[in-house]
Amino acid sequence: MEEQRPQISVIVPVYNVEEYVEKCLASVAVQTYPAIEVLVVDDASTDGSGSICDAWAAGDRRFRIIHLTENQGLSAARNQGIRQASGAYIAFVDSDDYVEPGFLDVLYRELTEKHVDVSICGNQGQHLINGPAQVLSLGEAALCLARRSPFLWNAWGKLFPADLVKEILFDRQIRCGEDILFFYQILKRVRRLAYVPDTLYHYVYRQGSLINDGVTEKRCKVLSVLDRVCEDGAANFPEGEVCFRQAAMDTAARLAMEAIKEGADGNVQDYLKRFRDAVRRHVSLKALALCPDIKTLAAELALWAGVPFFKVLAAAYRVIKPTGKNRTG
């Protein structure tokens, strides 16, 4: 007789994704892991998303729908699910993404067999390079974040102990970069993590979503979140501090390249100055040595040198860039 396994709570925040949410919920419904509850939090959607969610709850008793009366944002929606979760473990799935049937089964097996605190799977859609299956110390996990391989800060694609998640929650005041602060707080409280390269989570690039909507004031808030992580890391996470500083520079450089390529919701020059200042706050030889690729290193150094240097680099890159899709994410 198979040993009874603990319940896993899957939290799905939903807001105006009627074209995607059906596929998302269907992928959660066919999980091979036998004991799940699915907490779908409708963040006051104004399209047909709420009705689709209700239909799933009516047809599958594992699904529970929480309707918020006013839009509160991703962090608040996730927190509602967390507070009502009854499982021993928690996984997050964004409502425009979908997962493989073995998503929870594999993550639970990795967590228990490797005797770790958090398990992480490979994903499709972020164009990251999958590494080998491995058990990571906190310093090694921070290095993965700095090098953008094989995983990032996202709350999704991971399995967490519910008690730990309930202790942390998401910061409702942060509307961009909430996953960064959440996962950083997780790292401060665990000992080891396991990564398995199986592509079990599918991130869907959706035009109009926050991170795919160009350079905006809202997106730039992520820089202050990374500043906060770096400051705290200097005092409380010394083995990861230089990694977090590289992640901050990497983010500033990527935003700067995007501002040059796609424009911004304000003066591009002002944004570039802000990104330059972010790089200068965190630059060091040790941090630069962790750059994930030559392109990123060149962008960070050019920003550090000044906006005119960065513009020259960006112009040169547009001339020499080969055709084909950019795979740097």
Side-chain angles (χ1 to χ4, degrees):
M1 182 176 179
E2 185 178 357
E3 180 182 355
Q4 185 174 1
R5 288 187 275 182
Q7 187 178 62
I8 295 176
S9 299
V10 183
I11 297 174
V12 184
V14 173
Y15 180 68
N16 288 356
V17 285
E18 61 180 344
E19 295 181 15
Y20 302 89
V21 69
E22 178 74 30
K23 183 173 184 177
C24 173
L25 298 182
S27 73
V28 175
V30 297
Q31 289 300 296
T32 57
Y33 189 87
I36 68 171
E37 67 168 357
V38 187
L39 297 159
V40 183
V41 185
D42 173 25
D43 191 18
S45 296
T46 57
D47 62 0
S49 300
S51 297
I52 295 171
C53 297
D54 287 336
W56 273 97
D60 190 327
R61 64 182 184 179
R62 298 173 302 171
F63 283 70
R64 182 149 50 101
I65 314 302
I66 304 165
H67 289 287
L68 303 184
T69 57
E70 60 181 24
N71 181 252
Q72 299 180 36
L74 177 61
S75 293
R78 283 174 170 169
N79 287 346
Q80 285 285 349
I82 292 168
R83 292 188 181 99
Q84 298 195 37
S86 57
Y89 299 95
I90 287 177
F92 299 96
V93 178
D94 282 359
S95 54
D96 43 4
D97 300 335
Y98 62 97
V99 293
E100 292 294 321
F103 170 62
L104 296 176
D105 231 337
V106 172
L107 286 180
Y108 177 75
R109 182 194 69 211
E110 287 296 304
L111 191 147
T112 54
E113 292 184 359
K114 302 293 176 57
H115 304 289
V116 298
D117 304 294
V118 176
S119 55
I120 305 167
C121 69
N123 76 80
Q124 178 191 51
Q126 285 191 319
H127 310 311
L128 301 178
I129 299 174
N130 284 358
Q134 55 190 306
V135 172
L136 301 157
S137 67
L138 301 188
E140 290 167 337
L143 188 60
C144 290
L145 300 175
R147 291 179 170 166
R148 298 179 59 84
S149 176
F151 59 86
L152 291 176
W153 311 81
N154 314 91
W156 47 257
K158 302 172 175 67
L159 185 64
F160 305 98
D163 289 347
L164 181 58
V165 174
K166 288 175 181 288
E167 175 186 343
I168 296 172
L169 296 175
F170 289 84
D171 189 332
R172 291 187 54 175
Q173 304 305 313
I174 298 175
R175 291 297 184 112
C176 184
E178 60 280 318
D179 282 23
I180 292 174
L181 186 59
F182 172 80
F183 192 56
Y184 173 72
Q185 296 293 343
I186 290 284
L187 286 181
K188 287 174 61 177
R189 290 166 169 81
V190 301
R191 294 173 300 126
R192 302 196 309 162
L193 305 86
Y195 169 77
V196 57
D198 302 24
T199 305
L200 303 174
Y201 193 100
H202 298 271
Y203 168 77
V204 176
Y205 182 96
R206 179 168 62 89
Q207 195 66 38
S209 64
L210 177 59
I211 64 170
N212 298 322
D213 199 26
V215 175
T216 64
E217 187 65 33
K218 188 174 181 180
R219 279 190 68 193
C220 289
K221 297 295 185 184
V222 70
L223 298 175
S224 62
V225 175
L226 285 162
D227 285 345
R228 181 173 167 184
V229 167
C230 291
E231 181 180 359
D232 188 86
N236 301 306
F237 204 143
E239 66 268 48
E241 180 194 357
V242 67
C243 301
F244 303 140
R245 294 195 182 281
Q246 167 52 36
M249 291 194 297
D250 178 284
T251 300
R254 289 171 184 274
L255 285 170
M257 291 297 291
E258 189 173 343
I260 289 285
K261 180 181 178 182
E262 307 290 346
D265 67 352
N267 189 305
V268 171
Q269 181 78 4
D270 290 341
Y271 276 110
L272 292 179
K273 289 178 180 178
R274 189 183 308 186
F275 304 145
R276 174 204 62 196
D277 293 344
V279 168
R280 289 178 175 177
R281 283 196 298 274
H282 300 294
V283 69
S284 73
L285 290 177
K286 288 183 178 180
L288 289 170
L290 300 178
C291 277
D293 51 62
I294 295 298
K295 173 188 168 185
T296 303
L297 176 60
E300 291 175 6
L301 287 171
L303 270 179
W304 171 80
V307 171
F309 292 94
F310 182 79
K311 287 183 173 180
V312 170
L313 175 73
Y317 178 71
R318 286 199 297 271
V319 171
I320 66 174
K321 180 183 177 182
T323 59
K325 188 174 181 180
N326 178 13
R327 299 292 294 176
T328 61

